[in-house]
Amino acid sequence: MTAATSKNVVVLFPFPGHGHLAAFLSFAGVLHRALPDVAITLVSTPRNVASLRRATSAGHDSFLLHELPFVPADHGLPAGWESSDGVPHNRFPDFLEALEVLQPAFDDFVAGATAAGDVAVCVVSDPFLAWTVTVARRRGCAHAFFVSCGAFGSAVVHSLWSHLPIRPDEAGRILLPEYPDVVIHRSQVSSNVLHPPTAVKHRVEAFFGRQIQLGYKTDALLINTVEEFEPTGRAMLRRTFRLPVIPIGPLVRASTKTTSPETDATAGAITSFLDSHPPSSVLYVSFGSQFSIQAEHMAELAAALEATGRPFVWAVKPPDGHNINGEIQPKWLPDGFEERVTATKKGLLLHGWAPQVGILAHHSTGAFLSHCGGNSVLESMTHGVPIIGWPLAGDQYYNAKMLDEEWGVCLRVEGARGDVDMSAIIVDKATLMSPTAKAAEMRQRARAIKEIMEAAREGGHGSSANQALEEFFKTMKLNG
């Protein structure tokens, strides 16, 4: 189905980062199943489109892909820098500002989609690309943001960025004007928003200031969450934006299908390792595709994993400040660590690709040591796996806070900055894997959330996910 033959067109524009792209792909699939006669096009830069074509080449015809011209060198960026994954923190402002230059090309594309006067075009973008509202209004299109992370975390992040610069009180507390009942500690805030300002902070602050002001002009907020899972967060966003806040989740990636001999071998090794351990006994460790821990904490984490004596699977990446997709250097791990844990079958280190959903779905996985990114939280909860939360940036702190304080399914790693011995902390949190009453209670609560997620995804007309889609179609004036 193309714009030329459909009365309804939905244009999806994700922020170019692995987690954001994955969530938009899931959303495209949901839209196509609900409204198969709607023409869906996902737009991005050439390198991302090429990657998406490879990932969806196996008979995936539910949406089209469109390239927006983008040459990183034109913006002082190295070749290939078309995704936020691997971009150093000090270059992030360059990357964000370069994306704003895509507006004319995007405007031309939307203008073409609206050329037929009887076609209803809806633009759904990431909030980091709030300038798409300007294009939508210029072309007479409906517009919505799709927030690929949770509701509570999004509300807190929006409040923080709306009141820069942040100055904690003497006790280190940060009070949010919109949400007086929510107290954030300075250790739970990205250094980008803390006073005093720097040149990099000024540019990041200016970028988000532009996006926030445009954000209030949208028609709706779509959130990748479930009403029953985050009622507090949804209420907070409604109070702030005074717009429809539509929880269309859980949009979770399917188990990754292997596509090469190398990934086939890795998948086989993972399955063999997990199969060799009892149910709920393995700790899965991953900090996502974009973030990593500090070098000293990496060595401490390795020592802690070995000290617990519990089996683990670690999707290991270079530490913060290094190429996250690079090779692991021996100095970052204790001498002989990988060889010892491999020989004793107590640990499995994954270098590169890791089938996260498949690992979380396996009956041997008992807990997830995670940075608490939005996708990771949903993937863990939809499989009933409790979390040891080690947040590193942004909304991750508040996702962990919500999981801990509202649901009791997360043991938070506190003080993960500076000269803190993380080894002892991780050993303590690993008690989540013990046969104790507290651990059993956390696993039971995680299973309860899994049931909530499953009910939301049921195909019945009354499920919360279907009700949310119907609200979205009505708000966007799409024919459902």
Side-chain angles (χ1 to χ4, degrees), residues 300-318:
E300 291 169 0
L301 172 58
L305 292 173
E306 194 169 12
T308 65
R310 303 182 188 282
F312 65 89
V313 175
W314 183 4
V316 63
K317 291 181 174 65

Side-chain angles (χ1 to χ4, degrees), residues 115-255:
D118 59 346
V119 174
V121 178
C122 168
V123 174
V124 181
S125 80
D126 192 285
F128 280 21
L129 307 171
W131 49 261
T132 55
V133 173
T134 303
V135 173
R137 294 294 170 256
R138 183 184 299 126
R139 301 301 173 185
C141 304
H143 185 279
F145 288 123
F146 173 35
V147 183
S148 57
C149 48
F152 179 78
S154 296
V156 173
V157 168
H158 183 272
S159 179
L160 289 169
W161 282 104
S162 297
H163 299 287
L164 296 177
I166 300 299
R167 293 181 172 85
D169 64 17
E170 293 181 356
R173 299 174 304 173
I174 299 168
L175 305 180
L176 308 179
E178 299 95 331
Y179 316 122
D181 296 334
V182 178
V183 178
I184 303 299
H185 191 267
R186 66 172 299 141
S187 64
Q188 299 170 324
V189 175
S190 171
S191 59
N192 281 335
V193 301
L194 287 173
H195 191 78
T198 64
V200 170
K201 289 179 184 179
H202 273 309
R203 291 174 64 195
V204 173
E205 178 180 339
F207 173 84
F208 282 107
R210 294 191 293 272
Q211 309 315 307
I212 286 171
Q213 291 307 310
L214 289 167
Y216 292 106
K217 300 179 181 180
T218 191
D219 298 311
L221 296 178
L222 309 179
I223 310 291
N224 190 11
T225 191
V226 176
E227 168 67 31
E228 298 86 347
F229 179 51
E230 287 198 87
T232 301
R234 186 186 184 191
M236 290 166 66
L237 287 174
R238 278 177 165 166
R239 189 159 70 246
T240 296
F241 283 89
R242 302 184 184 278
L243 292 167
V245 178
I246 306 172
I248 58 171
L251 302 179
V252 177
R253 295 172 290 185
S255 294

